[in-house]
Amino acid sequence: MTITSTTELSELAGHYAEHGFVLVKGLLSKEEAASYRETSHRLLAQLNRDDDPTWQSAMGMSDAKTRLQHLHDAQFYDAAFSRLLVDPRFTDVAAAVMGVENVQLHHTKLFVKPPENGSPFPLHQDYPFFPHRDHRVGAAIFHFDDAPEEKGCVRVIPGSHLAGPREHDPAGSYHLPDVPFDSAVPQPAEAGDVLFFTYLTVHGSGVNVSDEPRTTWLVQYRDPADPPTVKTHDHSLGQGMMLRGVDPTGRSGA
Ligand SMILES: O=C(O)CCC(=O)C(=O)O
């Protein structure tokens, strides 16, 4: 599906403003998603890195040890990811939901949750990892294969962004130990769907207990006119790259 109509974009923006997230069905075709899936798995196999980013705070969420494969900055390994970053099907939605014209890259993370024991993510906001003054920061999770609940799909607490930043427990990665995991609503997705949410939306995901991997690409973006209040995460390659429009500050945030 190509989203071109202003009406469709404003409907997505309305849902996002009220609930803090919106799942865009079929933003990529099944063929494109399959190709990105193949590229993602090939890259991870070639690099064959032994670093598992499973959060320490995720360890109590499963009886058995879980595993996670990841790659930061996949767009620096394969141009297919660079093309996706500036694809108007993505950037037009990112701009519309933030209510701005300009969209700037913050960072990207490729995740594969392996079958049977793919690591969960405890509930959290992304805010404490890279706080910004006006909170015009969002995430888009591209699904390269189907992510039903048993694959550990992303969960969100609808409307949780409205209360603003929350105090996180910094132990074992910032998380919200007092918010029951079951209060987050699963967002099952199909290959090609993209889940957009604000960095204030409380979210997480369950264990992949299925017999297939879950393959996703998470892109964090922001309004270039919204400055970070703390300089963190600036090791990410390509941070500040314009994905849509211009940087009206003349790169003052760089
Ligand atoms: O991919 C997921 O299941 C969630 C990832 C996430 O919440 C994060 O990286 O902050």
Side-chain angles (χ1 to χ4, degrees), residues 113-132:
K113 282 192 187 191
E116 286 158 25
N117 60 357
S119 296
F121 283 85
L123 295 182
H124 63 283
Q125 294 176 317
D126 289 331
Y127 159 81
F129 296 96
F130 35 92
H132 282 62

Side-chain angles (χ1 to χ4, degrees), residues 37-58:
R37 181 183 196 279
E38 195 274 322
T39 305
S40 305
H41 284 257
R42 183 171 35 76
L43 254 179
L44 286 167
Q46 269 167 6
L47 295 167
N48 192 23
R49 292 195 185 143
D50 196 16
D51 55 336
D52 186 318
T54 299
W55 292 12
Q56 247 179 24
S57 49

Side-chain angles (χ1 to χ4, degrees), residues 205-254:
S205 62
V207 181
N208 180 5
V209 293
S210 79
D211 54 9
E212 297 208 348
R214 194 209 76 176
T215 312
T216 52
W217 195 41
L218 186 156
V219 179
Q220 298 272 4
Y221 52 83
R222 66 182 170 202
D223 173 4
D226 185 6
T229 53
V230 183
K231 280 266 184 198
T232 56
H233 238 283
D234 46 5
H235 56 276
S236 292
L237 299 177
Q239 189 172 111
M241 172 185 170
M242 291 309 298
L243 309 183
R244 184 185 197 271
V246 295
D247 180 350
T249 74
R251 289 184 50 71
S252 71

Side-chain angles (χ1 to χ4, degrees), residues 153-164:
C153 69
V154 179
R155 295 168 168 242
V156 300
I157 301 190
S160 52
H161 63 307
L162 297 172

